[in-house]
Amino acid sequence: MDMDADYTAPGGSSFRDVTSVFALASQEMDPGSIVAIDAFSLSDAMTATEIGEPRLDTGIQLENTERPQFDPLTPLLPEEICWIIDRSMAYETEWHASNPLAHTVFTLLYVHCLNDVDPDVLPFLPMIDLDSSRPLELITVILRAYTSGLLKSCSLAWNELSKGSLLDTEDWQSDKSDVSLLEGWPVRAAIARLDTALAWLSTTTKVPPSWQEALKIRVQFRRTILLLLNSTESLPRGPEDFNELLQSARHSLSVIRAHPCESISSSSPAHAAFDPYIARQLNTFLPVRVIDVPSLEQTCDAYERLLNGWEDLAKLSNTYQLSTWNQVGFHQSWFGAPAAQPAYIRSCAQTLFYDGIQIIHNQPQSWLVDRLFEETIGVSYHVFAQHWGGQGSASLLDLERKIIHTIIPHVRGLWNNPARRRRFLVKSIYDWHIIYDTLCVLIEGLDVSDDIDPVTFRTLNQFSQAVVPWRLASITEVILSGFQLELYHPLERPFAYWFAAQVTDVHLNYLDVLLKGMAGVVPQGESIVRLLLIWVVSTYTYSIESPSRKEMQFQQHFLVALQAMSMAMFVV
Amino acid sequence: MEEYRRAHFRISGDHSVKLFILDLSKFETATGSSSARQHMDSQSDSGKNVITYRAYTGEDDLPHVMALVQSELSEPYVIYTFRYFLCQWPHLAFLAYSPQSSSPVGVIVCKQSTHRNSYNRGYIAMLSVDKAFRKRGIASALVRSSIEAMKEDGVEEIVLETEYDNDAALSLYESLGFIREKRLYRFYLNGKDAFRLVLSVPPPSSPSPSGSDVDDSGTSFTATGRFIGERTHFRRTGGLGTQSGR
């Protein structure tokens, strides 16, 4: 290989030409033959990178990507700082929309040179700060604080997303490209730096008042977002403070939306602050893709979705009804589908419901078993379990484990993206049936000598029937989500509606049975006392609207309407 | 491309229940039982417009295949990806030629293997037709060729992915009997969703003249080499599945 004497290849001059080695080794191969490792897979093939292919070689320097040199200490106007902040906000929302950091947040070049704008290491700063309209504090104080807050915000979100509730490379992109997100830096330090920036803006005379306010609201918004991200995990302990932060964030966002910054001139040096091709200089194998920067309006909408998600989380953190979680899960997945809520919110919801140890931050997993029956048929699981030695007994261990291992992924799965959620629901249909079958086997196995009265038997049977509506609701959801995801051929659609109507009909039948059969079970005792108690409990069940009864009645009305609409769509 | 479109090349392991399977009899390919490896001519009223098809023959075809695919498809593939398919399944790759062009004007690249140790699955990896030669049924003919070739090796279902908004591809495949099995969220590197399409290939309707062939182990095979027995793949009993009668 001929090389100019003065040419210095990247990596130094220690490369050796080994073309002849490969040529010699391949002499015995026939044209078109291939030598591959054992079990050479498609993944192995596609992992290769073609040097010089612009779409694959992230390090290639193309002629048309020459950019002006970026100097982080280039003085900027306040409106240019505003523009940079707005653009970085837009990129942050794009990262939350499952684009890589290297194509979004990291395109802000200040991310990579925060130390270069640290005023503590720039003793010569006063000597170069000569333009009164472009005070360097805008960079060393304001932009530095904002960028630090931005990175710390991404770090907190990254920590939540990396818990594994959602899928990397599908719902979000975890690749950091070896760029620091200030992971080891305390949140308090970031807040302090933002507070310093706010204090400077409040007291400075170097910035026109209108731009002071514009910058203050943006720094304030960043501060609030950072606090919200930091507070999400401790949400159950301080919902009031969290709601105050939400209100503050909404206010800031509304001001930003109402007073957008003017666009800057094309010759402005602020444009150099962003490099969409920065990925070529970073440690990443993802092909470079230039993301279209959303408008301020779109960016505000994206942040609003985040804030709405946080608001839902705040409410859910104090919601101890399984059916409410179920309904909210279904609702949020339909709202805005086939797109999904921000991945961060969906991950938080899953973590909030079950963090690997407890349910809704302080309930044991066994709590789910009782809630399932209490909310569906209005009877405590204890009434069922007492015939087998009580909750947690050896006879019921298998059943309770199955219920827990079905409900937890069922509820968490509602916060998957719509496509994956549908596939998960399909699998859960089988799991619900297994629970139903286990309950039936247990009831059938009751010893006839146990002297169980018919009322008790009817109540015990209701426990097995209580599981069926959950399964049927999942089936209906699978059918209807097929429309949402555009999965059906036009010829299939009428039959999908017909199936939905059939399933709804079965569901309604089960609700009828459950509503008619809601009677109490009395503990063992004197026969007269038992009869009295039966009368009291039955009176309570049929005359006073228990929450589970009200819910079932609502479900009836809803399903009747759904069935009618489905049949109409089938006929049409 | 199956199993790739995530940046970290994660294998997707999800299943789904096909609630509806169309009666495929009306979508049966019209190429008959002749070997798809033979030349086929499109019907034409002029010799000038006759498109000829042939199977991939070897390394000499590779540059043309790569050029066609890379010029028409947005996703970048390295040469190893092409070799992965073409070296192992050359008989499932077909090229279309036109008298008006010295290079192929269409290409299809496929694979066929046992999926999850259960059933014989074919996969259409790439399909590309030169822009100047579209709307002539070339893509349809290429797909039919590959389907027939896979059938000769006992394929039970054929799958592929395509962008959710690729109406042309969706129309093509749905006209050939493919249905949408699942939607894949942000499947492609550009963030777009994909549909996974599947064509269920019924077993041959008539048994082989000599009946089942039984090997020394006592396992019986159909004439196409598949095991007789209950399939154990993803069709779950819990769903409301229906099977098309044939």
Side-chain angles (χ1 to χ4, degrees):
Chain A
M1 180 169 66
D2 295 331
M3 309 245 321
D4 292 337
D6 297 331
Y7 178 75
T8 306
S13 58
S14 56
F15 288 103
R16 292 174 59 195
D17 189 349
V18 293
T19 308
S20 59
V21 175
F22 283 98
L24 185 66
S26 60
Q27 273 178 359
E28 295 186 19
M29 293 174 64
D30 295 325
S33 60
I34 184 171
V35 176
I37 56 174
D38 289 342
F40 181 66
S41 67
L42 181 58
S43 291
D44 295 326
M46 300 190 78
T47 309
T49 298
E50 184 173 331
I51 297 174
E53 159 61 58
R55 293 175 296 178
L56 288 171
D57 185 353
T58 57
I60 190 172
Q61 198 70 28
L62 298 175
E63 287 178 6
N64 61 355
T65 56
E66 282 293 326
R67 295 181 50 80
Q69 190 73 13
F70 171 66
D71 178 7
L73 287 174
T74 300
L76 296 171
L77 293 166
E79 52 263 42
E80 290 170 332
I81 300 292
C82 261
W83 180 85
I84 290 174
I85 290 176
D86 287 352
R87 197 171 174 90
S88 70
M89 285 170 58
Y91 274 126
E92 186 190 18
T93 61
E94 284 298 304
W95 177 62
H96 280 286
S98 189
N99 291 297
L101 283 164
H103 300 169
T104 52
V105 174
F106 293 168
T107 61
L108 172 63
L109 297 181
Y110 286 98
V111 163
H112 310 283
C113 52
L114 275 178
N115 290 337
D116 296 338
V117 297
D118 183 351
D120 292 339
V121 299
L122 295 170
F124 57 87
L125 212 56
M127 297 167 58
I128 64 175
D129 189 6
L130 301 175
D131 186 345
S132 59
S133 63
R134 295 176 170 83
L136 273 177
E137 283 90 344
L138 286 174
I139 294 170
T140 61
V141 177
I142 306 302
L143 199 52
R144 177 168 169 261
Y146 183 87
T147 305
S148 304
L150 171 65
L151 287 176
K152 198 60 195 171
S153 301
C154 293
S155 175
L156 293 175
W158 195 98
N159 290 344
E160 170 59 43
L161 289 164
S162 65
K163 287 177 183 173
S165 301
L166 301 180
L167 278 136
D168 185 11
T169 73
E170 181 175 302
D171 292 292
W172 71 297
Q173 301 285 340
S174 68
D175 183 25
K176 291 185 191 177
S177 310
D178 289 346
V179 175
S180 170
L181 289 178
L182 305 178
E183 292 88 341
W185 200 44
V187 174
R188 281 176 300 175
I191 297 295
R193 192 173 285 182
L194 289 165
D195 286 340
T196 302
L198 286 169
W200 184 83
L201 282 170
S202 297
T203 56
T204 186
T205 55
K206 299 180 181 179
V207 179
S210 60
W211 289 114
Q212 270 184 342
E213 291 306 312
L215 288 169
K216 272 170 71 175
I217 201 71
R218 282 159 173 78
V219 174
Q220 181 66 45
F221 183 66
R222 171 54 51 196
R223 184 182 184 278
T224 312
I225 291 292
L226 183 56
L227 284 172
L228 281 168
L229 286 161
N230 192 45
S231 307
T232 304
E233 213 162 303
S234 58
L235 176 59
R237 292 190 288 275
E240 296 81 17
D241 295 338
F242 194 85
N243 286 326
E244 278 180 23
L245 287 172
L246 268 178
Q247 294 308 314
S248 172
R250 287 193 190 281
H251 168 73
S252 300
L253 188 63
S254 65
V255 173
I256 294 172
R257 190 196 288 268
H259 301 94
C261 288
E262 296 166 6
S263 55
I264 57 176
S265 72
S266 56
S267 58
S268 166
H271 288 289
F274 289 93
D275 180 6
Y277 297 94
I278 189 63
R280 294 205 167 118
Q281 300 175 40
L282 300 177
N283 186 8
T284 178
F285 57 86
L286 289 171
V288 175
R289 187 165 66 90
V290 177
I291 306 287
D292 291 332
V293 182
S295 65
L296 183 65
E297 195 65 28
Q298 291 169 321
T299 302
C300 290
D301 289 343
Y303 275 114
E304 191 147 349
R305 282 193 291 275
L306 263 179
L307 295 177
N308 291 340
W310 266 316
E311 190 172 339
D312 288 345
L313 288 176
K315 291 174 185 169
L316 284 172
S317 67
N318 286 314
T319 300
Y320 294 92
Q321 285 81 39
L322 192 58
S323 53
T324 305
W325 273 86
N326 197 43
Q327 291 306 318
V328 172
F330 278 124
H331 178 261
Q332 62 84 28
S333 65
W334 276 92
F335 194 74
Q341 261 192 336
Y344 171 76
I345 295 297
R346 291 189 285 120
S347 178
C348 286
Q350 294 196 32
T351 304
L352 181 60
F353 182 75
Y354 179 63
D355 58 6
I357 302 173
Q358 290 183 309
I359 307 295
I360 315 177
H361 66 83
N362 61 7
Q363 302 296 329
Q365 293 179 25
S366 55
W367 173 84
L368 288 171
V369 181
D370 193 55
R371 292 315 304 171
L372 171 68
F373 298 108
E374 182 76 51
E375 293 180 27
T376 309
I377 56 173
V379 184
S380 171
Y381 176 61
H382 162 72
V383 171
F384 178 89
Q386 63 184 342
H387 297 280
W388 284 271
Q391 188 167 359
S393 63
S395 310
L396 298 176
L397 213 54
D398 183 49
L399 169 70
E400 291 168 11
R401 193 181 301 127
K402 281 175 182 161
I403 291 174
I404 291 167
H405 290 165
T406 300
I407 291 181
I408 289 177
H410 174 93
V411 173
R412 282 166 56 96
L414 297 175
W415 272 269
N416 282 329
N417 62 70
R420 191 164 288 278
R421 176 180 148 270
R422 182 177 193 262
R423 296 197 292 278
F424 175 79
L425 278 174
V426 168
K427 294 184 216 176
S428 75
I429 292 169
Y430 175 74
D431 296 330
W432 284 112
H433 180 79
I434 291 295
I435 295 173
Y436 169 78
D437 187 65
T438 306
L439 283 161
C440 290
V441 167
L442 278 169
I443 295 167
E444 287 167 9
L446 277 176
D447 196 326
V448 295
S449 65
D450 286 344
D451 191 24
I452 299 178
D453 56 87
V455 171
T456 305
F457 249 125
R458 191 166 65 239
T459 303
L460 292 178
N461 278 322
Q462 284 203 318
F463 279 83
S464 62
Q465 291 158 358
V467 175
V468 179
W470 287 77
R471 179 167 178 267
L472 292 170
S474 297
I475 295 174
T476 307
E477 191 62 26
V478 166
I479 298 171
L480 295 179
S481 63
F483 290 100
Q484 186 191 61
L485 298 171
E486 300 175 79
L487 289 177
Y488 300 136
H489 189 275
L491 291 177
E492 293 177 307
R493 287 175 201 153
F495 296 98
Y497 284 117
W498 181 82
F499 265 117
Q502 301 308 303
V503 174
T504 309
D505 190 50
V506 174
H507 197 160
L508 283 166
N509 289 338
Y510 266 96
L511 287 178
D512 287 341
V513 168
L514 286 172
L515 280 167
K516 283 177 192 167
M518 285 174 75
V521 173
V522 296
Q524 302 292 329
E526 296 294 330
S527 59
I528 294 175
V529 172
R530 288 172 64 194
L531 284 171
L532 276 173
L533 283 171
I534 289 172
W535 176 80
V536 166
V537 172
S538 300
T539 304
Y540 169 80
T541 306
Y542 285 101
S543 65
I544 302 176
E545 294 290 327
S546 61
S548 55
R549 187 178 181 83
K550 281 186 192 171
E551 174 62 23
M552 268 197 252
Q553 288 170 338
F554 173 82
Q555 288 288 333
Q556 271 189 323
H557 296 315
F558 172 73
L559 290 173
V560 164
L562 183 64
Q563 185 186 33
M565 285 193 295
S566 299
M567 282 308 293
M569 293 301 292
F570 166 65
V571 169
V572 166
Chain B
M1 296 284 290
E2 185 181 19
E3 303 159 349
Y4 167 62
R5 282 298 157 234
R6 322 295 181 194
H8 295 294
F9 314 106
R10 176 172 45 80
I11 306 290
S12 171
D14 294 305
H15 302 287
S16 73
V17 170
K18 291 198 287 293
L19 296 179
F20 312 102
I21 298 178
L22 295 175
D23 179 0
L24 298 174
S25 58
K26 61 178 162 176
F27 298 118
E28 190 68 17
T29 58
T31 56
S33 59
S34 60
S35 168
R37 295 188 179 87
Q38 295 172 354
H39 288 256
M40 298 185 302
D41 293 337
S42 68
Q43 297 196 359
S44 164
D45 58 0
S46 158
K48 277 188 194 175
N49 295 327
V50 171
I51 305 294
T52 55
Y53 302 85
R54 65 166 177 81
Y56 175 84
T57 53
E59 195 69 10
D60 290 340
D61 288 336
L62 180 58
H64 300 297
V65 172
M66 290 179 63
L68 255 178
V69 171
Q70 286 170 338
S71 67
E72 299 296 332
L73 299 185
S74 59
E75 297 285 337
Y77 299 141
V78 293
I79 190 169
Y80 300 114
T81 305
F82 291 93
R83 290 192 191 283
Y84 169 82
F85 289 103
L86 295 171
C87 289
Q88 298 186 73
W89 299 279
H91 60 292
L92 297 181
F94 294 88
L95 295 95
Y97 283 86
S98 165
Q100 297 166 327
S101 171
S102 56
S103 304
V105 298
V107 65
I108 188 168
V109 175
C110 309
K111 67 178 267 192
Q112 186 174 357
S113 58
T114 303
H115 185 66
R116 295 180 188 268
N117 297 318
S118 293
Y119 56 98
N120 190 324
R121 173 188 262 199
Y123 177 68
I124 298 176
M126 308 173 203
L127 172 67
S128 177
V129 175
D130 190 311
K131 277 195 179 64
F133 293 87
R134 292 184 184 170
K135 303 288 186 191
R136 300 190 193 190
I138 296 175
S140 179
L142 287 169
V143 174
R144 289 169 193 268
S145 307
S146 62
I147 291 174
E148 287 304 311
M150 291 187 211
K151 279 183 179 177
E152 292 186 13
D153 290 330
V155 72
E156 295 175 88
E157 72 173 25
I158 301 169
V159 299
L160 64 110
E161 294 93 19
T162 187
E163 288 175 335
Y164 80 102
D165 58 355
N166 190 340
D167 296 329
L170 291 168
S171 297
L172 163 70
Y173 290 111
E174 286 168 3
S175 71
L176 293 170
F178 285 81
I179 60 173
R180 302 178 190 186
E181 181 192 13
K182 55 175 88 167
R183 186 162 177 148
L184 304 169
Y185 184 71
R186 297 187 67 89
F187 185 72
Y188 291 102
L189 288 175
N190 59 12
K192 281 189 177 179
D193 291 0
F195 283 123
R196 175 161 295 154
L197 308 182
V198 61
L199 174 69
S200 184
V201 180
S205 51
S206 55
S208 64
S210 57
S212 301
D213 294 326
V214 183
D215 68 3
D216 291 338
S217 66
T219 310
S220 57
F221 293 86
T222 65
T224 57
R226 285 173 292 135
F227 285 97
I228 296 174
E230 184 178 6
R231 281 158 57 165
T232 57
H233 65 93
F234 57 78
R235 284 185 172 80
R236 294 190 182 268
T237 56
L240 294 176
T242 59
Q243 295 279 340
S244 62
R246 289 196 48 83

